[in-house]
Amino acid sequence: AELQTFQWYSLFYNHLKNIEESEGGLDKFTKSYKTFGVNQLADGGIYCKEWAPGAEAVFLAGDFNGWNPFSHPYKKLEYGKWELLIPPEDGQSPVPHGSKLKVVIRAQNGALLYRISPWARYVVRDEDKVNYDWVHWNPPQSYIHKNPSPKRLKSLRIYESHVGIASPEGKVASYKNFTYNVLPRIKDLGYNCVQLMAIMEHAYYASFGYQVTSFFAASSRYGTPDDLKEMIDVAHSMGITVLLDVVHSHASKNSEDGLNQFDGTDSCFFHSGYRGTHQLWDSRLFDYANWEVLRFLLSNLRMWIEDYRFDGFRFDGVTSMLYHHHGIGTGFSGDYNEYFGLHVDEDALCYLMLANHMINTLHPECITIAEDVSGMPALCRPVAEGGGGFDYRLAMAIPDKWIQIIKELKDEDWNMGNIVHTLTNRRYEEKYIAYAESHDQALVGDKTLAFHLMDAEMYTNMSVLMPLTPVIDRGIQLHKMIRLITHALGGESYLNFMGNEFGHPEWLDFPRIGNNESYHYARRQFNLTEDDLLRYKFLNAFDRDMNKLEERFGWLASPQAYVSEKHEANKVIAFERAGLIFIFNFHPYQSYVDYRVVAFKYKILLDSDAGEYGGHQRLDHNTEYFSEEFPHNYRPNSIMVSKLFGRLFGVFLHAWVHCYTLTPANKLHL
């Protein structure tokens, strides 16, 4: 493992050295988005540049030349590059803002192929058309950012979002709607970061943005590039960090409005033949060893940071990138043989190291997150250590565990040790983002946690005017407890998918042939939380107060919790983190009187049984409780919790634990 890690770093170092020697440095190399594609010059002229190694000739056609395919030929350069300079006309641009363009490729077989530039900044699709059109985006006045990016956060509370579904109405919602209706909601809920999915342009809406066609274009289905810039700027004004879900793991197979067969060959940006196609996703796979692919992808990241002011990225599909088998039919047990060997795609790993090195060097305030289910060691350690360079990785085992528990086990069979193990099983000194559920768990074919817990009764018994049924009572209490224990124990940051914080009913399904192009499930019913007669408001309030308490005490940025109790018979979990005691009674019916826990003095700060959270109001919040010198769970002091109620009741306690500190060996120092 050490030898292969050294080899990976050597490969990274050699790439970096070659970029310095051949391209004038990483800074210049990754600014290629300012020269490739179609770019406006200061004198009003247009400079065009493309990489099409398989083309016999390249031309530019569009509204500006009456769609003459041959009037504006590109000049052939070295290494498969082509360039074209169009002088200004009376000091004005020869290609007007808003006009349509196409790159015309003469393929090796003589065929003329009309393509969208891989570097296109704006593409649109008319309602009566199948394919997207490339539109030259050069407005007289672009949106100017007014607010600085927030400082790098110590702990992230991420609101994973999709702009198109961010409305109760059955339609594709807009950037403007998100700016003025959703961002204030995110701020009020106590989230300090929004992660935007499906922004990079994708032809198929139902792909959730995972079949990207134009990597440099913000999706036009939600509005204009300036609308997105305004949205990010307003988020920054609220102190909200904005991350982009970036899909560099694969690309759409579309050719007329995608990267596929851009120059008439089956390679260009991708591997040719079998290696260039993902067998499950039916998409194209990048050739990360190719110099121009590195230029394209690294410049893509740079553009989103510098033009749109994104504060970092969630890299999608990292597992698929890391291994030649793409994770297909492969399980990961943690054995090091699974992470080191010929099955690792060293070129892809080197690209990820270059990407993180570039971001950390040129924009050190930015954050990167890896979506990796394999658990690749050192993926979230610095590149200088031979690591992948990511700041965080998603704790993908946690939501799977909750779904498995709820679907397969009776309440009395829940295993406290297994829950704690899943929530704390993470690589030393690599930061994890914990979550109970993301968009993956909500997509069609599965259900949200709330729907798993309450199912059909959500349609009939969520009104406060109806008696509280056992199913709804159990569902509401477990929903809060699962979120809090995941938030507090599962990682160094926390993520929630939009709407799930208040128990959004049903699943997420985009309009498609299989559902008669319906938008019924492609929306978020935020209005449910605003109806005082519905119980969704209780879950929404708990989520808000949970986040705001973390803001106050910072447990996500604190060392990993010390678990003092995981009692299988009592179904009780207790742990300490950030000067707080967390106690959860997962027993389906057993309550406890005078339950002893480790503490010096405590006062209740957050109680899932409180009335404002849909609980039964069984605890007095105004009482302070003091400890006695009674050893318990390897602590010299403990306290009797007067009442710890059953039926899925969770309580969050504040203890003055600054009286002692914990060493890594969990020994007490008075």
Side-chain angles (χ1 to χ4, degrees), residues 327-338:
I328 300 173
T330 304
F332 294 94
S333 65
D335 189 300
Y336 269 39
N337 291 318
E338 297 165 351

Side-chain angles (χ1 to χ4, degrees), residues 224 255 296 328 396 413 436 441:
T224 68
S255 56
F296 180 79
I328 300 173
M396 300 183 72
D413 295 333
Q441 285 70 44

Side-chain angles (χ1 to χ4, degrees), residues 333-633:
S333 65
D335 189 300
Y336 269 39
N337 291 318
E338 297 165 351
Y339 308 115
F340 302 99
L342 296 178
H343 53 287
V344 176
D345 190 333
E346 294 183 340
D347 296 323
L349 180 57
C350 181
Y351 160 66
L352 292 173
M353 294 171 75
L354 282 168
N356 282 308
H357 174 76
M358 178 201 73
I359 293 168
N360 189 55
T361 302
L362 301 177
H363 293 280
E365 73 282 1
C366 286
I367 297 163
T368 60
I369 300 168
E371 189 214 22
D372 170 43
V373 73
S374 76
M376 167 69 82
L379 191 63
C380 297
R381 295 302 300 165
V383 172
E385 295 180 4
F390 285 96
D391 296 300
Y392 296 90
R393 69 196 316 157
L394 293 172
M396 300 183 72
I398 295 175
D400 291 342
K401 174 58 65 175
W402 287 124
I403 294 293
Q404 182 249 327
I405 288 172
I406 291 170
K407 289 174 69 173
E408 299 179 9
L409 299 178
K410 297 178 181 178
D411 290 354
E412 56 267 30
D413 295 333
W414 285 30
N415 185 295
M416 301 298 102
N418 188 245
I419 291 172
V420 169
H421 173 75
T422 302
L423 290 170
T424 57
N425 182 29
R426 47 192 187 267
R427 294 196 178 279
Y428 180 64
E429 290 195 349
E430 293 194 50
K431 294 181 180 179
Y432 281 66
I433 295 175
Y435 57 107
E437 55 184 333
S438 68
H439 70 276
D440 286 328
Q441 285 70 44
L443 285 169
V444 67
D446 207 338
K447 302 175 183 178
T448 63
L449 276 177
F451 213 47
H452 271 296
L453 291 166
M454 296 177 277
D455 212 83
E457 287 204 24
M458 295 188 77
Y459 297 118
T460 57
N461 296 326
M462 285 298 279
S463 170
V464 296
L465 301 178
M466 300 289 293
L468 184 62
T469 67
V471 169
I472 296 298
D473 190 17
R474 170 183 179 271
I476 286 178
Q477 309 317 325
L478 266 183
H479 192 274
K480 291 178 288 187
M481 294 177 69
I482 287 171
R483 274 169 158 65
L484 179 57
I485 196 171
T486 301
H487 202 309
L489 190 59
E492 287 70 41
S493 285
Y494 177 75
L495 177 143
N496 165 67
F497 180 62
M498 62 188 308
N500 287 4
E501 70 276 4
F502 63 84
H504 198 284
E506 301 170 328
W507 50 86
L508 177 62
D509 189 15
F510 287 81
R512 53 189 173 85
I513 295 175
N515 64 13
N516 296 317
E517 303 296 336
S518 171
Y519 284 87
H520 181 72
Y521 298 109
R523 59 195 179 108
R524 297 283 92 178
Q525 301 179 62
F526 295 125
N527 54 298
L528 295 175
T529 65
E530 297 156 10
D531 190 335
D532 272 344
L533 297 180
L534 295 177
R535 293 188 167 100
Y536 296 101
K537 64 180 181 180
F538 299 138
L539 300 178
N540 196 70
F542 184 82
D543 196 77
R544 179 194 63 224
D545 291 350
M546 174 177 68
N547 281 324
K548 293 192 173 180
L549 203 58
E550 197 287 326
E551 173 77 21
R552 180 178 166 189
F553 289 97
W555 63 70
L556 289 171
S558 299
Q560 191 164 333
Y562 172 73
V563 180
S564 59
E565 183 163 345
K566 41 187 176 182
H567 201 296
E568 298 301 340
N570 293 344
K571 303 299 180 192
V572 172
I573 295 173
F575 58 89
E576 308 160 18
R577 193 176 187 187
L580 304 169
I581 303 291
F582 298 78
I583 307 173
F584 295 84
N585 178 8
F586 280 100
H587 205 289
Y589 54 84
Q590 184 66 54
S591 300
Y592 305 103
V593 177
D594 294 335
Y595 197 92
R596 185 170 295 280
V597 296
V598 172
F600 279 78
K601 182 175 75 170
Y602 81 79
K603 182 178 180 181
I604 295 171
L605 288 182
L606 186 66
D607 172 13
S608 67
D609 198 45
E612 62 263 37
Y613 309 135
H616 300 283
Q617 308 180 67
R618 293 172 286 190
L619 289 179
D620 181 3
H621 291 197
N622 296 318
T623 304
E624 288 188 354
Y625 302 87
F626 296 86
S627 70
E628 55 184 323
E629 291 186 11
F630 189 98
H632 181 69
N633 285 339

